Amino acid sequence: MSSSASSPRFYELDVFRGIAVFLMVIYHFLFDLEYFGIREMPAWFWPQQLYGFPITIMFIFIAGVSLALSASKTKDAETLTKKLIKRGTFIFAVGLIITAVTWIYPHDGAILFGVLHLIGISTILAVPFLLSFTKEAQISGKYKEKSAWLLPFIFGIAVILASKIVEKMSGPIWTVPLGIHPYGFYALDYEPLFPWFGVVLIGVAAGAWLYPKGERRGLLSFLKNEPPVLKGISWIGRHSLLIYLGHQPIILGLLWLLSLLN
């Protein structure tokens, strides 16, 4: 997610997101090798141990930062609300397509509430925390730079702490988005609102603190010109959704070709 087309992009966020995408592709390649019985990975193999959880944090955190930036570049609360509801609905709908595809194949471990479902719903749920970031709020004085980050940070921490209680609960399948699920529930990708909406809110808080009024703060102000060496990875970050949707079919196709050669 990013600010509007008329707003300047902050290439450091694209680089950060691009690194996450690159690691995700490697992780999923290794995961598919083992999941489809092509090559068993030893338990100590470091990519299997280190990639999954940090990649998820990177994606979800940067989504929150991007929400703060998008809000700071939006005219008013009404425009922001409509924009984020539209964006969140679109991302969630893409997540539902992934649900449908994984329900058909491989079915075992279908993705009912993965990272796209989470970001889509979180984009809408985060609206109340972002209304004071708009240009109208900045002009009217409702935007308080020193405290703008505080409310989403506090709520983010509260959601993460509450997840310790929620994760001990069990319930019907329709409570899966909350982190409550039936015994024996399994999914290939599962990021429920507890605790991950908390990570989104902490990202919002970080965005408000690092980019007050949509401008770089402190040392970040020196990051004006993107180094040529980073352009490739930032390009990946700018097209993260497309790569997210397309990388698994490509990986599975390559593995199928490899299986024919063996």
Side-chain angles (χ1 to χ4, degrees):
M1 288 173 286
S2 62
S3 55
S4 63
S6 60
S7 303
R9 294 190 69 93
F10 295 106
Y11 71 86
E12 62 270 24
L13 299 181
D14 290 327
V15 169
F16 191 78
R17 190 186 292 109
I19 292 172
V21 172
F22 179 76
L23 294 177
M24 174 194 67
V25 172
I26 296 175
Y27 172 76
H28 282 161
F29 177 75
L30 297 173
F31 177 87
D32 290 345
L33 282 175
E34 186 166 46
Y35 184 82
F36 292 101
I38 298 172
R39 179 68 60 86
E40 184 176 354
M41 298 294 170
W44 53 264
F45 193 49
W46 65 271
Q48 295 287 76
Q49 295 293 329
L50 298 179
Y51 277 2
F53 192 69
I55 292 170
T56 302
I57 292 177
M58 291 170 71
F59 268 122
I60 296 173
F61 176 82
I62 205 68
V65 175
S66 297
L67 284 173
L69 281 172
S70 182
S72 68
K73 298 297 183 181
T74 303
K75 179 182 177 182
D76 53 43
E78 182 180 357
T79 303
L80 178 66
T81 301
K82 291 179 180 178
K83 179 171 71 173
L84 294 187
I85 289 176
K86 181 179 179 181
R87 181 186 302 176
T89 301
F90 171 75
I91 295 173
F92 183 73
V94 175
L96 290 179
I97 293 173
I98 292 177
T99 296
V101 171
T102 56
W103 187 264
I104 297 171
Y105 181 80
H107 185 71
D108 181 28
I111 300 174
L112 299 183
F113 201 82
V115 67
L116 291 183
H117 303 77
L118 170 77
I119 292 176
I121 294 297
S122 295
T123 297
I124 297 172
L125 293 178
V127 168
F129 298 92
L130 297 164
L131 295 179
S132 64
F133 290 21
T134 63
K135 289 183 177 180
E136 183 181 68
Q138 295 170 27
I139 294 172
S140 66
K142 294 180 180 180
Y143 175 81
K144 305 297 182 182
E145 180 177 323
K146 293 184 178 180
S147 60
W149 61 273
L150 189 59
L151 185 63
F153 181 79
I154 291 173
F155 271 82
I157 293 296
V159 170
I160 291 172
L161 292 178
S163 70
K164 299 300 180 181
I165 299 174
V166 173
E167 68 184 12
K168 297 178 181 179
M169 302 178 181
S170 62
I173 197 69
W174 57 266
T175 60
V176 161
L178 297 175
I180 303 171
H181 49 76
Y183 288 110
F185 172 78
Y186 171 70
L188 294 172
D189 180 28
Y190 182 43
E191 278 77 42
L193 292 168
F194 291 91
W196 293 107
F197 180 54
V199 178
V200 172
L201 290 180
I202 291 176
V204 169
W209 189 79
L210 293 171
Y211 301 93
K213 297 183 179 180
E215 299 176 353
R216 292 184 176 99
R217 175 195 290 272
L219 293 176
L220 289 178
S221 61
F222 292 98
L223 302 176
K224 294 180 180 180
N225 299 315
E226 181 180 5
V229 70
L230 296 178
K231 289 186 180 296
I233 195 70
S234 66
W235 183 90
I236 293 174
R238 290 194 300 273
H239 299 85
S240 57
L241 180 59
L242 181 62
I243 296 173
Y244 182 90
L245 294 175
H247 79 285
Q248 276 287 39
I250 293 173
I251 289 175
L252 294 177
L254 289 174
L255 293 180
W256 177 74
L257 289 174
L258 288 174
S259 66
L260 294 179
L261 296 175
N262 291 335

